[in-house]
Amino acid sequence: MKIFDHLFPPKHLGLRPYRAPSPVGFWRIAGALVLVALCGGIYWWQLLAQQRNQLAFAENQAHLRTVQMSTTMASHVGTLVAGLEYLARSLAMNREAEPDHYFPVAVRTALATFPNGSLRHIYVANASGQVVFSSLDQDPKTQDAPIFIADREHFQGHAERTQPALSISRPSLGRLSGKWSVQFSYPVMRGGQFDGVVVLSVAPEYLSGHFSDVSTSGNDVTLLCATMAPIWRALTGRKRC
């Protein structure tokens, strides 16, 4: 009897016969998984689209900032160069008219007008390239070995040019001051002929200071170029070229 009960248990024990899964339930589960995957794909697509929009916005803002800073710096440089050109041209005219009397007074006035240290010194070279005047303490005429700048580009350009114009050199080590400077020079004309140059030795820190006033980040880099090649690179906070 026990063996019969073991093989054929009574119905009151709560046991149910085994049933195979319904095909309808399988497709419901599969549909739910597909729906979840589709929703996840749409969510990630929206995230990627938002990221692309933010990146495009950041690039546009960076481009706009670059254009604005370039325009502002171009205005700064234009004003700076115009002022230095006016000074060099005025001194050249004074050198032509009153080389021994009014010209030294005009040089001292110019040095006192500009910020301290912005101009290394102001000097004059004659038609052969010999330095005959300098605002530094030493007098070039009293030195044992005369100083010539005939090999410098800012002198050669004026000697070969028929019309007077401002010339801006690459940064060079001054032979009188022994310091790095950018040469703003203007020719001295006498009787329509080239008679030398007036040179303003401008400190690189003075130029970079104008760029630092516009820059908003310590990592900004400004590159000032001439027509053919760079003449000066100013990094914000840099102390020497």
Side-chain angles (χ1 to χ4, degrees):
M1 191 67 182
K2 293 182 178 181
I3 296 176
F4 180 82
D5 293 339
H6 180 73
L7 295 176
F8 302 99
K11 294 182 179 181
H12 69 272
L13 294 180
L15 299 178
R16 296 291 186 270
Y18 172 77
R19 293 181 181 179
S22 173
V24 178
F26 173 78
W27 286 112
R28 287 179 179 176
I29 296 175
L33 294 176
V34 171
L35 182 61
V36 171
L38 181 60
C39 293
I42 295 175
Y43 175 75
W44 282 108
W45 179 83
Q46 291 179 344
L47 285 181
L48 292 176
Q50 184 179 7
Q51 185 179 14
R52 285 194 298 267
N53 293 335
Q54 291 178 350
L55 180 60
F57 177 78
E59 291 177 350
N60 291 334
Q61 291 298 313
H63 176 72
L64 178 62
R65 178 176 177 270
T66 301
V67 172
Q68 291 175 343
M69 288 189 62
S70 298
T71 303
T72 304
M73 287 187 176
S75 177
H76 270 61
V77 172
T79 303
L80 173 63
V81 172
L84 292 172
E85 180 181 12
Y86 177 79
L87 174 60
R89 182 172 65 249
S90 299
L91 291 177
M93 295 174 62
N94 291 330
R95 179 69 182 181
E96 178 183 356
E98 296 288 341
D100 298 326
H101 301 286
Y102 184 70
F103 178 75
V105 177
V107 170
R108 290 194 295 270
T109 302
L111 293 174
T113 302
F114 276 74
N116 186 29
S118 59
L119 299 178
R120 300 288 194 206
H121 67 119
I122 300 174
Y123 66 94
V124 178
N126 58 22
S128 62
Q130 180 181 355
V131 178
V132 294
F133 174 87
S134 174
S135 61
L136 297 177
D137 294 337
Q138 66 268 28
D139 187 357
K141 296 179 181 179
T142 62
Q143 294 184 354
D144 297 335
I147 299 176
F148 286 88
I149 62 167
D151 59 326
R152 295 292 177 94
E153 60 179 354
H154 59 276
F155 179 87
Q156 295 175 350
H158 293 299
E160 299 171 356
R161 188 180 299 152
T162 57
Q163 295 295 328
L166 179 71
S167 176
I168 305 176
S169 73
R170 296 179 176 85
S172 59
L173 188 63
R175 293 174 179 172
L176 283 171
S177 64
K179 299 179 180 179
W180 287 94
S181 59
V182 180
Q183 314 299 319
F184 287 71
S185 57
Y186 203 88
V188 177
M189 308 299 292
R190 194 175 301 277
Q193 300 295 323
F194 174 72
D195 194 46
V197 293
V198 172
V199 183
L200 312 178
S201 293
V202 181
E205 295 84 0
Y206 180 59
L207 300 177
S208 63
H210 281 263
F211 299 142
S212 300
D213 294 339
V214 179
S215 174
T216 59
S217 173
N219 297 323
D220 288 343
V221 177
T222 304
L223 181 64
L224 178 62
C225 297
T227 304
M228 297 300 294
I231 62 172
W232 166 241
R233 175 174 292 172
L235 284 86
T236 302
R238 191 170 181 177
K239 297 302 183 182
R240 106 181 247 192
C241 68

